[in-house]
Amino acid sequence: MELTETAALPLPAKELGWVTRVRTDPTLLADLANAVGGGPFHVVYPEQFTTNLAAFVDAMVTAGVDGKVYFGKKANKAACWPRACAEANTGVDVASAPELIHALANGVRGEDLVITGPSKSDDLLWLATRHRCLITVDELDELDRVIAIADAGEAVRILLRVLPPSNPNSRFGLNDNELDLAIDRCVAHRAHLRMEGFSFHLTGYSVAPRAWQASDLIDRCLAARAKGLAANSVSIGGGFAVDYVDASPWQQFLSEYQDSWFHTRKTFSGFYPYHANPAGAEMLSAILGSSVATEHSDLAAKFAQTGTRLLIEPGRALLDGCGFTAFPVLGYKPRQDYGFITASGLSLSLSEQWFASEYLPDPMLWPQQEPSTPTSACVGGSSCLETDMLSWRKIRFDRVPRRGDLLIYPNTAGYQMDSNESEFHQLPLPPKVVVTTSPERIRWRLESAGVSHRGGGHSHE
Ligand SMILES: *Cc1c(COP(=O)(O)O)cnc(C)c1O
């Protein structure tokens, strides 16, 4: 059990100051575990979200581009994020009526919401219209339903979602033919239907295809304006990369990768690119700085000189560094050359298997102690399923895990907290704890599912 030769190479996550502070506090995490009845639990930090949001807004301002940031809400269900968006006067991207209502309840105005997702329900379209939200139309049939609402006298704001040539097999968006038909219908119904432009959302995390697609859609906006449509905006969607680990451990991990690093030699369809450069708001700057057309110096100039607004919908990237997850260790079972940690909780709360993949940034044992016996271990959930593994990977620890430890999975706020959680075995869903910091102290409160607050007005420090 003490051999580590078959263990995977380490992938330490980059760590922000607030996490170090919470993690190295001698008692705070134990107190939180006690307060929530053991765990697992998520810890979230809205101040970092606000910082990330400001970085995207700054990237637009610096590039001289007018536009709006919409937080891709599906990446995390906590109420503190839409609340932070409302306070910063930015928008939210929602894809269902409950998400729309949740954003409104946390102070985001309807006019600051964009509605994405395929074949939206009539209820969602009607509600979105009543609140003057921007609706991304994904198919002609949906356009007809939106037109019916407009013809009944409601003002409707829409974008047309485009099927990108760089993702030709995507099930989302309108192809060239459908776009021509859609534009004609928008022109015919423009009395109540305000066609504000086009949108796309690409898989992958590359700069160039986003820049080219955006440039093409600016041209389409100009053509649509010539036909009398408003067409003043292009949404380039989300997919801004997150830089979880430094370049050198990531490159080494990939170059020495072996199936034997994983329990049962499990293979995966692929991994998120855990190291990325540029990432986040810097990736937006790189997109805007791309040269895409001869008559404009770069994409930013093309947006500015054509009077086109840039809309973006980052999800994961706005949540970078905004949270982590603590799973109590229920037990440790040593075997020949690696062991099994059983964590309280389910792999459903670490959602990467949604993509037939695994979350790779290294979990850490808490409390931190002097290194003793190097140990490698995989991590199983507390269900009766062989496949309920939080980590199939044989992770290196510098001591033997023990019942009563916490296992901290870093940087989990983007998609790893609650995108496919379930009450399997009738286990309750992990609660979220919101942390705020001042130079003197760290404060915390339980996040309520519905409406977030800042505790302002009675914060006796
Ligand atoms: C999921 C999604 C996003 C957010 O994607 P991230 O990768 O989290 O940035 C934005 N727009 C649309 C249309 C989406 O489906």
Side-chain angles (χ1 to χ4, degrees):
M1 76 174 181
E2 289 161 20
L3 305 178
T4 53
E5 293 85 69
T6 63
L9 283 181
L11 270 182
K14 306 206 304 188
E15 185 169 86
L16 293 176
W18 78 269
V19 180
T20 313
R21 220 174 136 192
V22 170
R23 205 170 55 74
T24 55
D25 186 286
T27 53
L28 179 60
L29 285 175
D31 288 349
L32 293 183
N34 184 55
V36 302
F41 58 95
H42 305 294
V43 178
V44 298
Y45 188 63
E47 285 162 60
Q48 183 60 38
F49 182 91
T50 300
T51 301
N52 295 346
L53 206 46
F56 276 99
V57 172
D58 282 355
M60 285 197 196
V61 171
T62 305
V65 172
D66 183 30
K68 194 162 199 99
V69 182
Y70 296 88
F71 165 53
K73 191 179 184 311
K74 70 173 183 285
N76 193 299
K77 294 189 195 115
C80 57
W81 320 122
R83 170 71 197 234
C85 291
E87 287 175 355
N89 263 313
T90 56
V92 178
D93 158 13
V94 302
S96 69
E99 282 189 350
L100 191 165
I101 292 161
H102 195 223
L104 291 175
N106 282 285
V108 183
R109 296 191 188 98
E111 66 207 45
D112 293 332
L113 292 176
V114 63
I115 319 292
T116 59
S119 288
K120 292 165 270 298
S121 71
D122 288 336
D123 283 343
L124 174 57
L125 292 177
W126 184 78
L127 194 59
T129 303
R130 295 293 299 167
H131 287 281
R132 308 187 57 76
C133 308
L134 183 58
I135 299 169
T136 301
V137 171
D138 188 63
E139 56 179 27
L140 290 174
D141 169 70
E142 187 173 71
L143 179 60
D144 291 339
R145 290 189 289 134
V146 164
I147 286 171
I149 296 172
D151 286 349
E154 298 278 358
V156 189
R157 302 167 56 215
I158 64 162
L159 298 175
L160 297 176
R161 181 161 171 174
V162 172
L163 171 67
S166 57
N167 274 177
N169 296 322
S170 172
R171 69 188 177 94
F172 302 112
L174 302 159
N175 65 23
D176 282 351
N177 246 341
E178 292 162 340
L179 278 175
D180 289 343
L181 292 169
I183 299 276
D184 289 346
R185 289 182 208 177
C186 290
V187 171
H189 294 270
R190 66 179 185 271
H192 293 289
L193 184 72
R194 190 177 149 83
M195 198 294 258
E196 298 196 359
F198 300 92
S199 76
F200 65 89
H201 173 68
L202 296 184
T203 56
Y205 304 92
S206 312
V207 168
R210 287 180 168 78
W212 284 107
Q213 186 68 53
S215 172
D216 179 59
L217 293 187
I218 293 174
D219 294 336
R220 284 191 190 266
C221 277
L222 298 177
R225 280 178 221 170
K227 295 184 174 172
L229 300 176
N232 64 352
S233 303
V234 170
S235 171
I236 67 169
F240 296 90
V242 170
D243 189 32
Y244 291 88
V245 301
D246 285 328
S248 88
W250 178 240
Q251 273 141 24
Q252 230 184 326
F253 185 93
L254 290 182
S255 69
E256 294 178 33
Y257 186 93
Q258 295 168 29
D259 292 344
S260 62
W261 286 356
F262 296 82
H263 177 51
T264 70
R265 295 183 148 267
K266 187 172 171 67
T267 56
F268 300 88
S269 63
F271 296 107
Y272 183 87
Y274 287 98
H275 170 69
N277 182 20
E282 288 178 6
M283 180 170 157
L284 176 59
S285 299
I287 293 169
L288 289 174
S290 302
S291 47
V292 285
T294 44
E295 66 269 40
H296 304 280
S297 58
D298 58 14
L299 181 64
K302 185 162 179 174
F303 268 102
Q305 288 158 11
T306 57
T308 309
R309 301 177 74 236
L310 168 68
L311 316 182
I312 61 170
E313 300 159 358
R316 189 192 288 260
L318 283 176
L319 295 165
D320 181 22
C322 294
F324 63 84
T325 303
F327 293 94
V329 173
L330 294 176
Y332 177 66
K333 184 184 279 184
R335 284 287 152 86
Q336 287 80 350
D337 59 354
Y338 64 99
F340 294 99
I341 292 172
T342 301
S344 175
L346 303 169
S347 55
L348 294 167
S349 298
L350 198 68
S351 312
E352 200 60 17
Q353 76 275 26
W354 181 265
F355 307 101
S357 186
E358 168 147 313
Y359 189 65
L360 291 179
D362 285 347
M364 288 164 288
L365 287 171
W366 189 91
Q368 204 171 1
Q369 291 170 349
E370 285 303 306
S372 50
T373 313
T375 304
S376 49
C378 331
V379 185
S382 49
S383 79
C384 304
L385 294 182
E386 290 281 9
T387 50
D388 178 24
M389 298 289 290
L390 284 81
S391 293
W392 295 83
R393 187 165 54 113
K394 301 168 190 173
I395 297 159
R396 299 178 191 207
F397 296 99
D398 60 9
R399 66 173 172 90
V400 181
R402 276 192 318 257
R403 180 178 172 83
D405 289 338
L406 292 174
L407 191 61
I408 312 285
Y409 276 83
N411 208 354
T412 49
Y415 292 106
Q416 305 305 320
M417 285 186 178
D418 55 22
S419 38
N420 58 342
E421 62 187 348
S422 106
E423 292 177 339
F424 188 53
H425 277 315
Q426 296 181 304
L427 289 168
L429 301 180
K432 295 194 181 86
V433 177
V434 178
V435 162
T436 51
T437 55
S438 65
E440 298 79 37
R441 57 177 296 198
I442 304 168
R443 308 185 78 198
W444 62 270
R445 59 181 162 82
L446 280 179
E447 172 81 325
S448 59
V451 178
S452 186
H453 74 108
R454 277 260 156 120
H458 47 84
S459 51
H460 303 295
E461 295 281 321

